[in-house]
C-alpha cells in the first residue's frame, strides 16, 4: 500500500503519526537515502552491554525497530562495547533475548545485522590518526584534575590545554605509543580539536572532547589486543556511518552531543572516509516512568544488597523482571504506543503500563478460581461422600473456548473476607444468625445457595471454620435456582480437590513516584509490602499450568505461572496486576 500523492510507502499497521515518522516520510519522498543495494531506512538500537535492559529501553527498541519495520527498512542491533571494565557477555546475551522477546529481530532476508562497536576498533583507530595528522585532534598530557578544572562550566569558558598546539607529528607518535602500551591509565588522552575557539564553546560537549583513553583492561571480545579504547561520542557516529544508518534515533539527553556527531562525520567525509549523505541524529523524549528507578548503578545496588532477588526479580523495571512478573510483549508495545513519541520530556504514571497490560490480557487470559486467604467452609447438610460437578466458561466473552469443571463437596475454601462475625452495613456475604434473625444467604458461585448457621474459633479466638446449610434445589443453571434471590455471590474451591500453591503478591517496589529525584536516597522509599507470599488454593485444573501461562484469577487480578520456580504439576504463581487500578486509593 502506498500514498498516491508522493508514492511514499505507508506504514504496514498505520501507527499514530509523530515527528519521527514525518521526518522518515519526507526523506522517502525526497529520495534522500537512495543507495544501491540498501533499503531507504536503516535504524539501529545501540545498547552498552553493561547491565540489563529496563522499561525505558523498550521505548527505544520499539521506536527504532518499529520505524524500520513500518517503512520497509531494517534495524541493526549494535553493542557499544567500548568500556571493557563494565561489559560482559552475560549482558550481551540478555539484551539479545529481551529484544527478541519483545518481538523484534535483527535478521533480514537471511542476513544478520548484529554488530559490535569492537568490530570497528581498527577503523576507529585509523580515523583517529587521520584527525591527528589533519590537525583535528591532539594528545593531551594534563592530569585528570587539571583537565576537569580547565574545562570550565556552563557559565564560564574553559581554558585551552597547554598541549593543544602540540605538533601533529608529536601527537601521532604519542598516540601510537599509547596503543603500544607504553603508558599507564590516565597518562595521556586523545582529544578532538574542533575549532579555533577551543574551550570557549557554549556547548560543553564541543570543548575539545576526549575521543580515546588508555585502559589496560581485558575486553570481552578482543581480549588484551587493545589498551586504548574510543569514547562513546566518537564511536557512535562512526559506527552509524560504517553501517549506513539513515536515521540515528536516540533520546533527548544526546541532543547537545549532536553538534559533535555532525562535525565528526563531516570532517571524516572530507577526509574521504564516508560519502554524503552521512547519517543524521534525531532525538525524542525518553520514557520516564513513576515508581521505579532506572539507573543501572541503583538497579545493581538493589541486586547486590539483596533488596531484590536478582535482575529478574518481578519487582524490577528490567525487561527480564517484567517478563517474569507476567507482562506481555504486546502490553509493553501498547504502552509505548500510548505514551507517544515527542520532543518533550515528561513523566508517565505506572498505571498507564498496568492499564495496557489489563487491556492486553482481558481478552486473552483464561479465567480460574483461586482462594488467596483461605477460610474453611463446611456445608453441614451436604453428604460427606458426595461430589457434584460444577462448570463455568473458560472465558465469559468467548464461549467457543469451552467450559472448565470442578466439584463442589462438603468442605470448601472461601476467602476470609467473605465472612464477618458482625456484618458492616451493606455487607452481603456470610454472617451468622443475629438474635432471632437467621444467618445470611449467599450463592456459592456456579454451585448452590447456602445459609450461614454458625462458625468455629480456634484457641486464639480466630475464626477457623464457617458452617452453612445448602439448598439442594438451588444449583446454578437449574430451574430451582431462580426461586432464590440473594445479593451475595462468592467464589470457592473444594477442599478435597483444590491445588495448594505458592502465590506471590507483587506490588510496586517504591512508595514514592519519584524515589530518586532531587538527590533523595531511593532506598528510603522502598515499599515494605511490595511482596507477600501466601499459600493459596486453586481449582484443580490449574495443576496443568505451564511456565509463563497467564490467567485471570477471578476477583483477584492477573497471574502468571513463574517461569523459573514452577515445576510440572506444581506451579508457582506471580500476581502481574490487580483487576483495576487501586494504587494509593
Amino acid at each position: 500500500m502506498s500514498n498516491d500523492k508522493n508514492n511514499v510507502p505507508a506504514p504496514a499497521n498505520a501507527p499514530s503519526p509523530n515527528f519521527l515518522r514525518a521526518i522518515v516520510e519526507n526523506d522517502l519522498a525526497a529520495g534522500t537515502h537512495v543507495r544501491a543495494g540498501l533499503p531507504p531506512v536503516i535504524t539501529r538500537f545501540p545498547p552498552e552491554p553493561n547491565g540489563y535492559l529496563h522499561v525505558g529501553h523498550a521505548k527505544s527498541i520499539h521506536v527504532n525497530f518499529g520505524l524500520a519495520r513500518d517503512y520497509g527498512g531494517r534495524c541493526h542491533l549494535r553493542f557499544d562495547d567500548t568500556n571493557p571494565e563494565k561489559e560482559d557477555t552475560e549482558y550481551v546475551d540478555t539484551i539479545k533475548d529481551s529484544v527478541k522477546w519483545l518481538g523484534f529481530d535483527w535478521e533480514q532476508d537471511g542476513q544478520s545485522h548484529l554488530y559490535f562497536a569492537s568490530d570497528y576498533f581498527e577503523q576507529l583507530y585509523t580515523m583517529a590518526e587521520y584527525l591527528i595528522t589533519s590537525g583535528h585532534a591532539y594528545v593531551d598530557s594534563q592530569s585528570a584534575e587539571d583537565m576537569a578544572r580547565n574545562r570550565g562550566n556552563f557559565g564560564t569558558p574553559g581554558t585551552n590545554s597547554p598541549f593543544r598546539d602540540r605538533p601533529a607529528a608529536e601527537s601521532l607518535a604519542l598516540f601510537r605509543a599509547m596503543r603500544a602500551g607504553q603508558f599507564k591509565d590516565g597518562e595521556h588522552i586523545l582529544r578532538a580539536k574542533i575549532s579555533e575557539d577551543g574551550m570557549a564553546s557554549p556547548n560543553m560537549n564541543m570543548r575539545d572532547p576526549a575521543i580515546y583513553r588508555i585502559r589496560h583492561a581485558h575486553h570481552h571480545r578482543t581480549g588484551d589486543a587493545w589498551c586504548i579504547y574510543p569514547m562513546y561520542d566518537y564511536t557512535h557516529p562512526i559506527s552509524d556511518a560504517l553501517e549506513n544508518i539513515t536515521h540515528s534515533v536516540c533520546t533527548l539527553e544526546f541532543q547537545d552531543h549532536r553538534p559533535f556527531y555532525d562535525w565528526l562525520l563531516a570532517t571524516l567525509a572530507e577526509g574521504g572516509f564516508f560519502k554524503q549523505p552521512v547519517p543524521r541524529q534525531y532525538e525524542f523524549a525518553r520514557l520516564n516512568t513513576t515508581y521505579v528507578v532506572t539507573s543501572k548503578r541503583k538497579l545493581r545496588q538493589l541486586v547486590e544488597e539483596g533488596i531484590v532477588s536478582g535482575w529478574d526479580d518481578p519487582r524490577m523495571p528490567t525487561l527480564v523482571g517484567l517478563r517474569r512478573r507476567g507482562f506481555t510483549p504486546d502490553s509493553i508495545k501498547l504502552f509505548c504506543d500510548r505514551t507517544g513519541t515527542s520532543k518533550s520530556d515528561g513523566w508517565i504514571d505506572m498505571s498507564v503500563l498496568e492499564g495496557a497490560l489489563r487491556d492486553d490480557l482481558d481478552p486473552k487470559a483464561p479465567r480460574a478460581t483461586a482462594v488467596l486467604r483461605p477460610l474453611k467452609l463446611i456445608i453441614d447438610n451436604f453428604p460427606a461422600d458426595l461430589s457434584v460437578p460444577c462448570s463455568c466458561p473458560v472465558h465469559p466473552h468467548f464461549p467457543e473456548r469451552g467450559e472448565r469443571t470442578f466439584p463442589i463437596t462438603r468442605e470448601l475454601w472461601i476467602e476470609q473476607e467473605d465472612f464477618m462475625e458482625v456484618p458492616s452495613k451493606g455487607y452481603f456475604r456470610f454472617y451468622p444468625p443475629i438474635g432471632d434473625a437467621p444467618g445470611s444467604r449467599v450463592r456459592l458461585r456456579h454451585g448452590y445457595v447456602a445459609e450461614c448457621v454458625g462458625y468455629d474459633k480456634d484457641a486464639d479466638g480466630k475464626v477457623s471454620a464457617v458452617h452453612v446449610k445448602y439448598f439442594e434445589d438451588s444449583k446454578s443453571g437449574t430451574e430451582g435456582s431462580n426461586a432464590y434471590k440473594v445479593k451475595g455471590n462468592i467464589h470457592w474451591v473444594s477442599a478435597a480437590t483444590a491445588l495448594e500453591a505458592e502465590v506471590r503478591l507483587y506490588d510496586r517496589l517504591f512508595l514514592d513516584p519519584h524515589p530518586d529525584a532531587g538527590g533523595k536516597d531511593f532506598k528510603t522509599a522502598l515499599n515494605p509490602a511490595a511482596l507477600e507470599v501466601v499459600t493459596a488454593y486453586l481449582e484443580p485444573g490449574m495443576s496443568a499450568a505451564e511456565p509463563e501461562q497467564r490467567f485471570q484469577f477471578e476477583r483477584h487480578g492477573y497471574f502468571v505461572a513463574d517461569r523459573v520456580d514452577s515445576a510440572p504439576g506444581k506451579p508457582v504463581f506471580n500476581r502481574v496486576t490487580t483487576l483495576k487500578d487501586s494504587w494509593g486509593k
Side-chain angles (χ1 to χ4, degrees):
M1 182 178 178
S2 64
N3 183 321
D4 293 335
K5 183 177 180 181
N6 52 23
N7 204 32
V8 175
N13 57 352
S16 301
N18 59 57
F19 79 97
L20 288 175
R21 293 184 179 277
I23 290 169
V24 171
E25 290 176 10
N26 288 337
D27 285 347
L28 289 170
T32 304
H33 298 285
V34 174
R35 298 162 297 177
L38 293 172
V41 176
I42 304 178
T43 59
R44 82 293 166 273
F45 173 61
E48 182 181 359
N50 65 348
Y52 285 69
L53 299 183
H54 55 66
V55 64
H57 293 112
K59 183 65 171 281
S60 185
I61 294 169
H62 184 69
V63 167
N64 280 287
F65 279 91
L67 284 172
R69 173 199 62 208
D70 294 340
Y71 293 100
R74 72 180 186 224
C75 184
H76 297 182
L77 175 61
R78 180 175 72 237
F79 288 97
D80 171 41
D81 56 343
T82 60
N83 190 354
E85 294 169 311
K86 295 183 178 181
E87 297 158 0
D88 195 276
T89 53
E90 172 192 354
Y91 302 129
V92 171
D93 292 340
T94 186
I95 290 170
K96 289 162 65 176
D97 287 346
S98 291
V99 172
K100 288 205 168 187
W101 176 68
L102 283 174
F104 298 107
D105 203 329
W106 48 89
E107 293 188 7
Q108 187 179 69
D109 300 325
Q111 182 178 355
S112 173
H113 295 285
L114 173 66
Y115 303 98
F116 293 82
S118 54
D119 293 337
Y120 312 130
F121 277 174
E122 196 64 53
Q123 292 155 289
L124 290 161
Y125 177 83
T126 298
M127 294 179 203
E129 285 205 347
Y130 165 76
L131 293 176
I132 294 171
T133 57
S134 61
H136 295 299
Y138 63 96
V139 171
D140 193 349
S141 303
Q142 294 182 91
S143 67
E145 293 75 17
D146 286 342
M147 282 186 62
R149 183 167 47 252
N150 291 335
R151 190 165 183 248
N153 54 47
F154 289 106
T156 306
T159 302
N160 285 351
S161 166
F163 302 97
R164 194 172 197 267
D165 295 321
R166 175 175 260 160
E170 183 180 336
S171 280
L172 183 61
L174 283 169
F175 189 52
R176 289 174 174 174
M178 287 165 60
R179 176 176 181 172
Q182 296 178 20
F183 302 109
K184 297 177 182 178
D185 290 5
E187 278 195 75
H188 303 285
I189 196 166
L190 183 65
R191 301 177 72 177
K193 187 177 182 180
I194 297 175
S195 69
E196 292 302 319
D197 293 339
M199 302 293 285
S201 173
N203 185 336
M204 298 284 288
N205 297 291
M206 298 294 279
R207 295 182 183 178
D208 291 6
I211 58 178
Y212 261 93
R213 78 286 205 200
I214 302 170
R215 286 287 184 276
H216 291 272
H218 186 81
H219 190 277
H220 73 106
R221 294 185 76 240
T222 61
D224 299 315
W226 293 85
C227 62
I228 57 170
Y229 291 93
M231 306 295 286
Y232 174 83
D233 276 358
Y234 174 75
T235 306
H236 178 65
I238 293 176
S239 300
D240 281 350
L242 289 171
E243 294 175 20
N244 296 300
I245 301 301
T246 59
H247 301 81
S248 183
V249 181
C250 56
T251 45
L252 277 178
E253 63 262 37
F254 294 101
Q255 183 170 279
D256 289 343
H257 299 243
R258 190 188 338 134
F260 179 69
Y261 183 106
D262 293 340
W263 172 85
L264 180 61
L265 291 188
T267 302
L268 292 173
E270 289 175 4
F273 290 97
F274 304 119
K275 295 180 179 179
Q276 294 288 358
V278 292
R280 290 285 306 278
Q281 177 177 300
Y282 305 93
E283 306 88 16
F284 68 99
R286 66 181 294 171
L287 183 64
N288 297 307
T289 308
T290 58
Y291 295 102
V292 299
V293 296
T294 54
S295 158
K296 289 179 180 177
R297 177 183 62 82
K298 292 172 183 175
L299 292 176
R300 184 175 289 107
Q301 189 175 347
L302 290 172
V303 174
E304 292 178 350
E305 294 183 12
I307 296 169
V308 295
S309 60
W311 289 97
D312 68 343
D313 187 296
R315 294 165 291 181
M316 290 280 273
T318 55
L319 291 183
V320 290
L322 291 173
R323 178 179 181 178
R324 189 171 177 188
R325 173 76 169 261
F327 280 80
T328 63
D330 285 346
S331 68
I332 294 174
K333 289 186 282 190
L334 179 59
F335 172 61
C336 292
D337 283 335
R338 288 179 174 176
T339 54
T341 303
S342 72
K343 292 184 74 71
S344 300
D345 270 329
W347 287 91
I348 305 298
D349 195 84
M350 179 58 73
S351 63
V352 179
L353 175 57
E354 294 163 344
L357 177 68
R358 294 185 190 99
D359 290 345
D360 180 50
L361 287 182
D362 181 60
K364 297 177 181 178
R367 281 21 179 186
T369 304
V371 175
L372 303 185
R373 305 181 194 282
L375 173 63
K376 181 67 65 71
L377 182 135
I378 302 170
I379 309 175
D380 291 341
N381 61 334
F382 199 96
D385 59 350
L386 181 63
S387 176
V388 177
C390 299
S391 66
C392 62
V394 170
H395 196 294
H397 305 307
F398 301 97
E400 66 275 12
R401 297 185 190 176
E403 298 273 316
R404 61 188 209 267
T405 60
F406 40 85
I408 187 167
T409 55
R410 186 172 190 270
E411 294 191 358
L412 309 176
W413 293 112
I414 64 170
E415 295 287 348
Q416 293 175 12
E417 65 181 30
D418 288 342
F419 173 79
M420 290 184 71
E421 293 181 67
V422 180
S424 57
K425 185 177 180 180
Y427 186 79
F428 298 119
R429 285 164 271 179
F430 283 123
Y431 55 83
I434 301 174
D436 295 331
S440 62
R441 289 187 179 185
V442 175
R443 177 168 292 282
L444 299 169
R445 197 168 181 223
H446 311 301
Y448 298 93
V449 171
E451 180 181 301
C452 185
V453 296
Y455 58 96
D456 300 329
K457 285 189 173 183
D458 60 20
D460 296 324
K462 183 179 179 182
V463 175
S464 57
V466 175
H467 290 268
V468 301
K469 66 178 181 180
Y470 86 114
F471 300 94
E472 190 174 356
D473 60 348
S474 65
K475 189 170 186 296
S476 296
T478 66
E479 290 186 12
S481 66
N482 295 329
Y484 294 85
K485 305 299 181 183
V486 295
K487 294 183 178 180
N489 191 329
I490 68 170
H491 71 278
W492 52 272
V493 292
S494 164
T497 63
L499 171 70
E500 184 180 296
E502 178 180 316
V503 175
R504 300 164 181 172
L505 304 176
Y506 287 104
D507 211 329
R508 299 178 188 179
L509 186 56
F510 295 99
L511 296 171
D512 188 330
H514 307 290
D516 57 349
K520 291 184 289 190
D521 179 359
F522 68 101
K523 291 192 294 183
T524 63
L526 285 166
N527 179 8
L531 170 60
E532 180 185 5
V533 180
V534 299
T535 299
Y537 292 97
L538 285 57
E539 63 180 76
M542 295 300 292
S543 62
E546 297 181 355
E548 292 198 89
Q549 188 175 1
R550 299 167 184 85
F551 300 87
Q552 185 194 105
F553 287 180
E554 294 171 318
R555 180 172 166 183
H556 294 301
Y558 294 96
F559 290 75
V560 65
D562 189 84
R563 66 191 300 257
V564 176
D565 294 333
S566 292
K570 195 173 182 180
V572 172
F573 289 93
N574 303 328
R575 182 172 66 190
V576 195
T577 189
T578 52
L579 288 177
K580 59 183 179 180
D581 180 23
S582 59
W583 181 257
K585 296 178 182 177

